[in-house]
Amino acid sequence: MASLKVPATVPLPEEDSEQLHKAFKGWGTNEGMIISILAHRNATQRSFIRAVYAAIYYKDLLKELDKELSGDFERAVMLWTLEPAERDAYLAKESTKMFTANNWVLVEIACSRSALEFFKAKQAYQARYKTSLEEDVAYHTSGNIRKLLLPLVSTFRYDGNADEVNVKLARSEAKKLHKKVTEKAYTDEDLIRILTTRSKAQIGATLNHFKDNFGSSLNKFLKEDSEDEYVQLLKTAIKCLTYPEKYFEKVLRRAINKVGTDEWALTRVVTTRAEVDLERIKEEYLRRNSVPLDRAIANDTSGDYKDMLLALLGHDHA
């Protein structure tokens, strides 16, 4: 369930391009105009606007935005204007660089996207950076972290559905997982193989059997060792594969409740999920925190950045 609100009658990309061009001209940038257009267009419409803008003005819209905007507002607009696959490629590349390294974001992208979405992100990565995501992840990680991350980003997972679940396999692999986590063999090859190759539906069934048979979820079993980065990444992968809305709610809660808001996390979740499942994430946030997400964000941000995020949440005037 997406939160994005697109007008019933969408102007032609030529009209939007002209309005954006006007917003850049003159003494001051018209940020409100940029928000009113870009925050109310879906991925296909934004892609058309970029193409038409380049054809009319011989300029790259992204470069124009980069020149005119700054700070958290610029990052939100830039990430949002990218096509989903380009955006994931950009975030993944950022996550493999020394000063912005973030293994959690790599796990998030690999596990919360559909197989085809992730494949397209890896294609966009190669087209833009002239290297593969697998190559960069292998180079920038080591030890057990590499042992988990490399197969996660290398797989083309079968999406599957509930009708295709192999119940017998789910039962046997639930037992296998229980044996390994009881032994604290968290880096076991079979454990990694199951979580990095099985379809999301199959993993969901396996984890349901795990909980039914052993009285607690796999992530609860991992909790006592969750100070360890590898175990944290393992838990993140499981949550993203099975309940992405719960994972993203937690990321938002931590970003907002942190002393000094984590704007990068806030921006990443809102821009990447607005066309996917942000409505479900909002419901989960309200259930967990007894405060609507738009109000929490409005209280924690300001100016054009706040207006941009609220527009993507579907609450322009919160």
Side-chain angles (χ1 to χ4, degrees), residues 88-262:
D88 281 346
Y90 178 84
L91 290 168
K93 183 65 176 178
E94 204 171 58
S95 300
T96 63
K97 288 180 177 175
M98 188 186 295
F99 295 110
T100 49
N102 193 324
N103 291 330
W104 279 267
V105 174
L106 291 170
V107 172
E108 179 183 303
I109 293 169
C111 298
S112 67
R113 299 347 182 215
S114 72
L116 190 57
E117 285 166 350
F118 187 45
F119 180 69
K120 285 179 178 175
K122 291 199 286 184
Q123 283 183 315
Y125 193 100
Q126 292 190 13
R128 181 164 182 170
Y129 303 112
K130 310 305 176 198
T131 177
S132 73
L133 177 59
E134 293 87 340
E135 192 179 345
D136 282 349
V137 167
Y139 181 74
H140 289 281
T141 57
S142 60
N144 289 333
I145 303 287
R146 182 193 285 163
K147 198 174 171 184
L148 175 65
L149 282 188
L150 194 53
L152 265 186
V153 300
S154 302
T155 191
F156 186 70
R157 202 186 288 272
Y158 177 57
D159 275 332
N161 59 58
D163 299 338
E164 299 167 324
V165 163
N166 181 330
V167 178
K168 193 176 173 185
L169 182 67
R171 270 200 209 100
S172 71
E173 292 195 333
K175 280 182 190 167
K176 198 168 279 183
L177 288 174
H178 182 255
K179 182 176 185 290
K180 297 305 175 187
V181 295
T182 305
E183 294 167 354
K184 296 190 184 291
Y186 303 135
T187 60
D188 176 80
E189 282 184 10
D190 272 342
L191 184 147
I192 291 172
R193 173 187 59 77
I194 292 164
L195 293 176
T196 59
T197 64
R198 294 293 183 212
S199 74
K200 290 183 182 181
Q202 187 66 39
I203 287 173
T206 299
L207 296 183
N208 284 339
H209 279 289
F210 187 104
K211 191 173 182 180
D212 290 345
N213 291 337
F214 307 111
S216 200
S217 70
L218 176 54
N219 268 1
K220 287 262 169 66
F221 270 80
L222 295 170
K223 199 165 189 178
E224 62 184 82
D225 290 299
S226 56
E227 291 305 304
D228 179 80
E229 187 191 353
Y230 172 85
V231 175
Q232 286 180 359
L233 289 168
L234 202 57
K235 287 174 66 182
T236 297
I238 293 163
K239 190 65 80 69
C240 284
L241 287 165
T242 52
Y243 297 107
E245 67 279 8
K246 291 185 178 181
Y247 164 77
F248 286 114
E249 181 282 325
K250 190 173 185 179
V251 174
L252 288 170
R253 176 164 25 102
R254 285 182 167 177
I256 291 166
N257 293 347
K258 196 177 175 189
V259 179
T261 310
D262 182 352

